[in-house]
Amino acid sequence: MVETKSKGTSQKAVHRAAKAIEQRMQQLHEVKAVQEERPMIFRQPKTLELHNRFPIMADRLTLEVEGNVLLEDVSFQIPLKQKIAITGANGSGKSTLLNHVFHVGDQIIMSPKAKLGYFQQMSYRFTTKETVLQFLKNRSQYEESELRSALHAMQFTGNDLLKKVGTLSGGEAIRLQLCHLFLGQYNILLLDEPTNFLDMHALEALERFIKAYEGTILYVSHDQRFIENTADQQFQITERQLIQVNI
């Protein structure tokens, strides 16, 4: 009887050890899968293709807010499919310029086929009752697997996809808004300080998004490292002028 009990105990121990090894291998596989991010691909439909060499231009633009002249007699051209960073001191007019471009204000010349997506600071409130995944599905022509891949890159995994967008925290809402812009029906993106409130993983994902995006991007940022990693050109607002500077 003692020998039988010992044998049974030994078999249970072997079983537990095998089970532990199996679980460990599964965990390692899951970690590896998380680390191996799928490359981002943002396709431009034929209907959204732009052929203007410079889809956004300004001709002798002067920007003034409450009597304060921010830009004076400024002209510029934004090249097709380029990523352009706008920098400058606080209050110099960066966000005002981006907003003026979005609304195609005075002295802005915009390609007739331009479809602009606009990310504004602190404008991340959602009022719909959709889930995170439904929200993107209803606003994109990408396959669900591609939507999930982009969401995963922005740290939406598992049950996060089932969250109601109205319940998202500020950081989550910003990440979803960025996914929406890159996966939406746009060919030009205007991003006002998109790196604010992003942790390192989301920041790296945004860098990959920008590099992979086939359209034109004009963005405002104070983060020089981010600019060096993503921008083709950098313009700085200084003394009411928009000057190209070396990255």
Side-chain angles (χ1 to χ4, degrees):
M1 291 294 293
V2 173
E3 184 179 351
T4 303
K5 183 178 180 180
S6 176
K7 183 177 180 181
T9 301
S10 176
Q11 288 176 337
K12 288 181 180 179
V14 171
H15 178 74
R16 283 198 299 269
K19 191 68 174 178
I21 293 172
E22 181 182 350
Q23 290 174 344
R24 179 59 178 162
M25 291 178 64
Q26 185 177 358
Q27 289 171 355
L28 290 172
H29 176 74
E30 289 172 354
V31 170
K32 184 178 179 181
V34 169
Q35 292 174 342
E36 294 177 353
E37 295 284 358
R38 291 177 56 184
M40 301 307 305
I41 300 174
F42 298 110
R43 302 180 304 278
Q44 289 278 294
K46 289 290 184 182
T47 55
L48 288 178
E49 283 186 1
L50 295 176
H51 301 287
N52 308 57
R53 284 186 59 205
F54 303 102
I56 304 173
M57 296 187 291
D59 181 27
R60 304 188 66 176
L61 166 67
T62 294
L63 270 185
E64 184 176 333
V65 177
E66 297 180 352
N68 181 28
V69 177
L70 302 173
L71 292 173
E72 186 172 17
D73 202 27
V74 168
S75 298
F76 59 81
Q77 298 175 319
I78 303 301
L80 181 65
K81 296 188 177 183
Q82 292 284 286
K83 283 72 175 184
I84 310 297
I86 304 293
T87 60
N90 289 336
S92 61
K94 304 181 298 297
S95 296
T96 302
L97 173 59
L98 217 61
N99 188 64
H100 191 74
V101 169
F102 177 69
H103 289 99
V104 194
D106 293 342
Q107 309 311 121
I108 296 294
I109 304 165
M110 186 74 65
S111 168
K113 293 183 66 177
K115 299 294 183 184
L116 276 65
Y118 187 21
F119 176 85
Q120 291 179 279
Q121 297 184 63
M122 310 306 289
S123 63
Y124 48 76
R125 301 295 180 189
F126 297 106
T127 57
T128 74
K129 296 182 179 180
E130 299 159 295
T131 66
V132 167
L133 184 57
Q134 287 171 337
F135 181 86
L136 282 191
K137 274 186 174 182
N138 293 338
R139 291 162 180 80
S140 175
Q141 294 184 354
Y142 284 81
E143 298 293 329
E144 182 174 324
S145 60
E146 296 171 307
L147 301 180
R148 287 177 176 269
S149 179
L151 286 167
H152 182 270
M154 278 293 178
Q155 302 175 74
F156 289 100
T157 59
N159 290 333
D160 293 337
L161 304 184
L162 303 178
K163 287 183 178 179
K164 301 292 186 182
V165 294
T167 68
L168 297 179
S169 67
E172 289 173 327
I174 287 172
R175 288 186 272 120
L176 178 59
Q177 178 115 320
L178 289 169
C179 285
H180 166 223
L181 288 174
F182 282 89
L183 294 164
Q185 297 297 294
Y186 308 110
N187 47 32
I188 297 176
L189 298 183
L190 307 177
L191 310 176
D192 189 5
E193 296 283 6
T195 62
N196 284 356
F197 309 111
L198 296 184
D199 64 20
M200 186 57 66
H201 295 293
L203 185 61
E204 290 174 353
L206 178 58
E207 289 181 359
R208 295 198 300 274
F209 281 19
I210 289 177
K211 291 174 184 177
Y213 191 67
E214 292 186 357
T216 305
I217 300 179
L218 182 62
Y219 69 85
V220 169
S221 180
H222 288 285
D223 187 337
Q224 192 60 38
R225 187 200 65 82
F226 176 78
I227 292 170
E228 291 170 0
N229 287 345
T230 57
D232 297 307
Q233 297 181 48
Q234 178 179 346
F235 289 88
Q236 185 176 40
I237 297 178
T238 179
E239 297 181 355
R240 301 178 180 178
Q241 295 297 304
L242 189 65
I243 308 299
Q244 185 170 358
V245 296
N246 293 327
I247 300 177

